[in-house]
């Protein structure tokens, strides 16, 4: 009898196994792969290219030397977060630890680092002279004693092969960069990517500075910049600046130019009375003609760009490679006056992604024309378009049913939560990502019905409860074209859900809108925004996070209360301070089986404080399944110790990633010593897996 042999994965050629291993991106999956055998361990280590270091900077001497193939190294999340790397160590230890990093990661060509001062860069960058990509992060204020441009001098001195510089999360002065680029002209000429779309700016780059930057970097292919389009400001961006950018950098494939007002208030709805920009359709046509390689364009102007349809028609012929387009405050993007003829952006048939913001004259017919003309769209975002109704958007979605998988609807006056879900209903079985605003229609009438029911039907049986629940669902949920309530929708492919909700509103009606059956929903982001000052106590004790327990695979959450404003200290009579509001927001979070949580506490802008309160810490400790918890604010040390009661919690960090981050922590909040003590206790615990 012939012997039988079993073929396993290990019998594949090493080249194929190496390719398979390189395609695995999840860190935990790669760690599991490395535990299979010595062969798989060697494969995993040789194919891992990206690594983000966590832990305390004081323990850098314990780094393993087995990750020698790492090309992208991120040091920005080392603890204590926000402190200059290495500079807190003894002076004689700093160069030795920088050398240790080089020995452990000799192949680095992309580096991310939190840079409070240029000292860290002076120590690190000489270790990797072949670095091509640098990303700097700083949410603290720029030290005034640093000479102009010194934040960037070490980069251009030690990185002669630099190709990419990312300053999108690095607060700096706009006058720092242009002189350095002009001084190191050879290095600047090699740059192909420059991101100065810095979210913490208040005014952005001036017109002359943008012209100088693009002159110094003629080979840019990716350029992102925060600027000011408002003609009332000195050196605003207008026709001349746009023409200079296109003339100086003709190889651009990606161009983002965003007004700082849009960065500061991304949900602001500006009507026609917001004023006009100094950008004309004729200049836009010249710019598009000068950038034939353009693939992605973002122009969020903040002021009206009138009669833009003619210029947008030129995109189809001048920028044939364009696949992604975002326009803010553009008027006349698609007039749709002639049903048989497309105009404006509807002629851009090659687009895969389209975002329209504050286009006040966009109508339902315009949306339908876009759906007919841009038939390849897989992502569509609409914001602040007050004339658009559910009929127009639903028709557009129906036309794009075969391709559309990512939809964002926000700040549209006639599109509340119910209408938004009704509009995307034609693709409920295909959509993967969705954002809606939690604006509940008829919430006051619903409250009245609830009171009446509780008074008159105390002894209702189960059938009565089911009928009432069905009626509520019909009230909130979207209806089909025949007016019947849709109760059996299964959002089978929905993986990511983003919600915006105003302070004082509740999340509980979400399930009643028809979004209750999402078997594969893994991640949710909830943005709570508004001013708590002057508001009375809500009628219900909780926001309603517990209602999210009906999503069986929900494991990741971003709960952003960072734009919720209130009183961090004593509140006036009959009002709640932020600790009580935090209890309202977080109550019920322990009912969810979350493994990762990013949490932004509410803030008091008068004292620049975003701090985790006692009720917040107590409620977070009830999340017994958490493995990662990132609090984007500050906290007291004894509040953080509550989190040690979460059995499998592996990674916790306080990140003050907002501007301006506190320069000096208060005496009762987490300091360097407090962070170290907490991390020592966290790491000393035995984790089951």
């Amino acid at each position: 009898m012939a012997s039988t042999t079993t073929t396993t994965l290990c019998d594949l050629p090493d080249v194929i196994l190496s390719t398979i291993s390189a395609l695995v991106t999840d860190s935990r999956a790669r760690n599991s792969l490395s535990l299979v055998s010595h062969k798989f361990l060697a494969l995993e280590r040789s194919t891992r290219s990206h690594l983000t270091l966590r832990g305390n900077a004081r323990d850098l001497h314990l780094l393993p030397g087995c990750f020698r193939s790492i090309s992208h190294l991120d040091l920005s999340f080392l603890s204590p977060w926000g402190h200059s790397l290495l500079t807190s160590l003894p002076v004689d230890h700093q160069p030795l630890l920088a050398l240790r990093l080089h020995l452990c990661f000799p192949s680095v060509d992309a580096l991310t680092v939190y840079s409070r001062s240029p000292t860290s860069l002076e120590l690190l960058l000489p270790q990797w002279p072949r670095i091509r990509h640098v990303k700097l992060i700083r949410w603290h204020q720029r030290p005034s004693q640093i000479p102009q441009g010194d934040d960037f001098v070490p980069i251009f001195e030690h990185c002669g092969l630099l190709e990419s510089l990312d300053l999108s999360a690095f607060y700096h002065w706009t006058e720092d960069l242009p002189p350095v680029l002009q001084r190191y002209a050879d290095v600047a000429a090699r740059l192909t990517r420059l991101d100065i779309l810095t979210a913490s700016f208040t005014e952005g780059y001036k017109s002359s500075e943008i012209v100088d930057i693009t002159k110094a970097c003629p080979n840019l292919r990716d350029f992102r910049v925060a600027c000011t389009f408002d003609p009332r400001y000195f050196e605003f961006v207008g026709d001349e600046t746009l023409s200079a950018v296109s003339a100086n950098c003709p190889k651009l494939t990606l161009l983002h130019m965003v007004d700082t007002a849009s960065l500061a208030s991304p949900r602001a709805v500006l009507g026609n009375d917001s004023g006009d920009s100094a950008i004309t359709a004729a200049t836009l046509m010249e710019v598009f003609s000068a950038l034939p390689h353009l693939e992605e364009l973002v122009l969020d102007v903040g002021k009206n760009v009138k009669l833009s349809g003619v210029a947008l028609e030129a995109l189809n012929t001048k920028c044939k490679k364009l696949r992604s387009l975002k326009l803010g405050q553009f008027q006349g993007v698609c007039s749709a006056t002639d049903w048989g003829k497309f105009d404006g952006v509807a002629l851009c048939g090659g687009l895969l992604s389209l975002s329209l913001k504050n286009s006040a004259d966009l109508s339902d017919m315009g949306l339908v024309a876009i759906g007919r003309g841009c038939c390849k769209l897989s992502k569509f975002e609409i914001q602040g378009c007050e004339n658009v109704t559910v009929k127009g958007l639903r028709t557009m979605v129906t036309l794009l049913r075969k391709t559309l998988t990512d939809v964002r609807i926000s700040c549209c006056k006639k599109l509340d939560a119910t209408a938004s879900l009704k509009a995307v209903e034609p693709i409920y079985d295909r959509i993967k990502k969705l954002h809606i605003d939690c604006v509940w229609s008829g919430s006051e009438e619903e409250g009245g019905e609830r009171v009446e029911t509780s008074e008159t039907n105390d002894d209702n049986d189960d059938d009565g409860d089911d009928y009432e629940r069905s009626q509520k669902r019909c009230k909130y949920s979207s209806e089909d074209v025949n007016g019947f309530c849709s109760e059996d929708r299964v959002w089978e492919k929905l993986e990511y859900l983003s919600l915006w909700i105003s302070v004082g509103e509740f999340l509980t009606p979400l399930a009643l809108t028809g979004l209750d059956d999402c078997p594969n929903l893994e991640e949710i982001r909830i943005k709570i925004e508004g001013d708590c000052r002057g508001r009375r106590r809500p009628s219900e004790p909780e926001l309603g996070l517990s209602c999210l327990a009906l999503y069986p695979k929900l494991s990741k959450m971003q709960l952003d209360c960072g734009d919720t404003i209130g009183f961090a200290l004593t509140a006036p009579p009959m009002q709640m301070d932020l600790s009580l509001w935090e209890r309202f927001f977080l109550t019920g979070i322990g009912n969810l089986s979350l493994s990762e949580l990013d949490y932004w506490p509410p803030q008091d802008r008068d004292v620049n404080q975003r701090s985790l309160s006692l009720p917040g810490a107590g409620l977070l400790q009830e999340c017994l399944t958490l493995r990662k918890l990132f609090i984007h604010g500050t906290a007291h040390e004894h509040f953080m110790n509550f989190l040690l009661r979460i059995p499998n919690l592996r990674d916790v960090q306080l990140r003050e990633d907002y501007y301006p981050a506190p320069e000096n922590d208060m005496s009762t909040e987490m300091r360097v010593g407090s962070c170290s003590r907490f991390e020592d206790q966290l790491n000393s615990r035995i984790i089951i897996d």
Side-chain angles (χ1 to χ4, degrees), residues 76 152 208 236 311 343 463 476 495:
S76 62
F152 308 120
S208 60
F236 64 90
D343 67 287
D463 292 339
Y476 283 110
E495 301 172 352

Side-chain angles (χ1 to χ4, degrees), residues 206-216 240-241 244-245 248:
K206 299 179 177 63
S207 174
S208 60
E209 293 169 341
I210 294 175
V211 173
D212 291 341
I213 289 171
T214 53
K215 280 184 178 179
E240 294 182 2
T241 310
V245 170
N248 294 334

Side-chain angles (χ1 to χ4, degrees), residues 313-333:
E313 292 175 3
L315 279 173
N316 185 46
T317 56
K318 306 299 182 182
C319 305
K320 296 184 178 181
K321 298 181 180 180
L322 190 69
R323 296 295 177 263
S324 178
L325 177 63
K326 180 175 181 179
L327 303 173
Q329 212 71 20
F330 275 59
Q331 311 303 329
V333 293

Side-chain angles (χ1 to χ4, degrees), residues 5 47 88 92 109 135 153 160 163 295 297 305 378 406 433 468 485 502 524 548 596:
T5 59
T47 58
S88 59
D92 55 338
D109 65 10
K135 179 176 182 178
V153 168
E163 296 178 359
E295 298 176 8
L297 175 64
V305 180
S378 61
D406 187 348
K433 295 183 178 182
E468 180 183 352
C485 183
S502 177
I524 189 168
L548 302 178
E596 298 182 20

Side-chain angles (χ1 to χ4, degrees), residues 594-605:
L594 298 176
S595 61
E596 298 182 20
L597 174 62
D598 280 78
Y599 175 58
W600 287 259
Q603 64 166 315
D604 188 335
R605 289 182 179 173

Side-chain angles (χ1 to χ4, degrees), residues 100-167:
R100 175 65 179 170
L101 284 169
H102 167 69
L103 295 176
C104 294
F105 311 108
S107 304
V108 170
D109 65 10
L111 180 67
T112 303
V113 62
Y114 197 101
S115 177
R116 288 280 291 269
S117 68
T119 309
S120 299
L121 299 178
E122 290 285 2
L123 291 168
L124 291 172
L125 294 179
Q127 308 301 326
W128 298 289
R130 301 188 66 82
I131 279 185
R132 298 176 183 273
H133 312 277
V134 174
K135 179 176 182 178
L136 300 184
I137 298 177
R138 180 171 67 196
W139 291 98
H140 292 80
Q141 295 185 15
R142 178 193 184 279
S144 57
Q145 68 273 17
I146 297 178
Q148 188 183 65
D150 273 20
D151 276 325
F152 308 120
V153 168
I155 299 175
F156 289 87
E157 276 191 352
H158 301 294
C159 305
L161 301 178
L162 188 68
E163 296 178 359
S164 170
L165 180 59
D166 188 343
L167 305 176

Side-chain angles (χ1 to χ4, degrees), residues 561-578:
C561 307
D563 286 328
T564 301
I565 307 168
F567 299 102
L569 305 177
T570 305
M574 303 300 294
Q575 296 188 35
M576 299 180 2
D577 60 25
L578 286 182

